[in-house]
Amino acid sequence: MSRVSATAYSFGLVLLLLLFQSVRAETAPARLIIVVDDLGNSLEKGLAAIDLPGPVAYSVLPHTPHSVALAEKAYSQGKEVMLHAPMANTAHLRLGPGALTENQNQLQLERILRDDIASVPHVSGVNNHMGSLLTQQRSKMDWVMGVLAEQGLFFLDSRTTSQTTAWKSAYSTGVPWLVRDVFLDHEQNTAFIDKQFRYGLKLAQEQGFAVLICHPYPVTIRYLQQALPKIGEQGIQLVAPSGFLFQQAEARRLVEARLAERQLDHECDRHEGHCRDSLAQQGSRHALKQ
């Protein structure tokens, strides 16, 4: 890349970022995404989690005793359902049914993942259960994203390792993606959950959004029942993952339109405004056809 083209590229990136920040400020408050993982093994804990107020999302383990019933219950209450796909971890902990492992070839992994998705009704997205080993393997993640792309699903990288390649693979494949910011309850006590939740709210206010993952522990559910109705007082909106991704896509389209308009203005300046007249005429003709 030449020095001139590199400078133009850098300027374009800066302009894109500035415009995106402007659009975000104009179109949405700070947003919070909360996903409750590990639903499926306990009906009682799953039902308590689903009763949380607002558009909390629920990630369901495949082929578990209550996966179908809980997914149906969440969907009937207008909640988002995700697949919590078990993936190989570096500690070799037990993964349960439907696991994706490093020893599977492409056909095996894709078949198991499709079966996992089919086993949980109303799935709109996927995140990894464990996966500290598998998410480091780019080729495996590319296979995963290929299946998600064909089924129109998004991916949330639970980020169980700093070496994850999952979100990068999703980006390259064109799969809508998110990355977890905060684990809420890996210590199961109110003081720790409160500290993590407040940190998540702070992140949302600073960067415009934050993604929190938690589990259907009774202490977590009791805390969120009290905390979630109050976040609006801090200017934060609770949104479902797919709703947030849709908002982001709309904001990007607006940014791209503004960039195109600025480029058009530049071209018009170069040609002494003649293209502006042409555009006005085109707009008039279009209006008449309407």
Side-chain angles (χ1 to χ4, degrees):
M1 183 180 290
S2 70
R3 182 176 300 176
V4 172
S5 59
T7 300
Y9 178 75
S10 298
F11 176 76
L13 284 178
V14 171
L15 182 59
L16 182 64
L17 287 171
L18 288 173
L19 281 171
F20 189 80
Q21 290 170 352
S22 173
V23 168
R24 188 179 70 188
E26 292 172 7
T27 58
R31 287 154 293 176
L32 190 69
I33 299 100
I34 297 180
V35 178
V36 183
D37 277 354
D38 290 358
L39 267 68
N41 286 310
S42 168
L43 182 62
E44 180 182 3
K45 290 180 180 178
L47 291 174
I50 291 167
D51 281 339
L52 285 171
V56 177
Y58 300 92
S59 197
V60 181
L61 290 162
H63 313 293
T64 46
H66 306 290
S67 56
V68 173
L70 290 171
E72 292 286 4
K73 178 66 173 178
Y75 183 77
S76 72
Q77 293 188 193
K79 304 295 185 76
E80 185 144 58
V81 178
M82 298 169 57
L83 169 70
H84 200 30
M87 297 186 188
N89 59 82
T90 54
H92 304 291
L93 298 173
R94 184 178 177 275
L95 292 169
L100 308 178
T101 71
E102 72 277 17
N103 298 319
Q104 295 161 356
N105 62 34
Q106 183 172 358
L107 289 177
Q108 291 169 329
L109 185 145
E110 291 177 345
R111 175 183 57 79
I112 292 169
L113 180 55
R114 290 189 183 99
D115 188 46
D116 289 348
I117 293 168
S119 75
V120 179
H122 313 298
V123 163
S124 58
V126 174
N127 74 322
N128 52 295
H129 172 56
M130 301 191 188
S132 55
L133 176 60
L134 202 73
T135 58
Q136 295 188 52
Q137 300 182 8
R138 180 60 184 267
S139 61
K140 305 287 187 183
M141 289 299 99
D142 287 346
W143 300 346
V144 168
M145 299 310 158
V147 173
L148 270 53
E150 75 181 21
Q151 301 210 18
L153 304 178
F154 67 83
F155 184 76
L156 166 59
D157 189 341
S158 301
R159 199 159 59 87
T160 55
T161 171
S162 60
Q163 304 303 312
T164 179
T165 66
W167 69 267
K168 300 173 186 176
S169 178
Y171 172 77
S172 297
T173 314
V175 171
W177 57 275
L178 291 164
V179 177
R180 185 270 308 165
D181 291 302
V182 179
F183 276 130
L184 194 61
D185 54 4
H186 46 282
E187 292 183 22
Q188 297 172 45
N189 62 77
T190 302
F192 181 81
I193 292 169
D194 181 64
K195 182 185 77 171
Q196 294 294 94
F197 189 74
R198 290 178 185 277
Y199 175 60
L201 296 183
K202 182 173 179 288
L203 272 181
Q205 291 168 331
E206 289 177 351
Q207 65 185 22
F209 68 95
V211 181
L212 277 60
I213 289 180
C214 63
H215 304 84
Y217 304 135
V219 63
T220 304
I221 302 308
R222 286 195 298 270
Y223 178 87
L224 291 176
Q225 285 171 341
Q226 299 298 317
L228 289 180
K230 302 175 184 177
I231 64 173
E233 299 170 7
Q234 301 181 53
I236 296 173
Q237 177 187 17
L238 184 65
V239 295
S242 62
F244 173 77
L245 287 166
F246 176 78
Q247 290 173 350
Q248 294 293 88
E250 289 298 301
R252 280 194 295 272
R253 278 192 280 271
L254 182 54
V255 167
E256 290 165 359
R258 290 187 179 181
L259 284 173
E261 183 178 2
R262 291 194 177 195
Q263 179 63 28
L264 179 61
D265 287 342
H266 176 64
E267 293 296 324
C268 288
D269 290 342
R270 284 172 50 191
H271 294 90
E272 299 179 0
H274 296 307
C275 62
R276 179 69 64 187
D277 296 337
S278 175
L279 281 172
Q281 292 169 7
Q282 291 175 18
S284 298
R285 287 197 294 270
H286 180 72
L288 289 172
K289 289 178 181 179
Q290 297 293 321

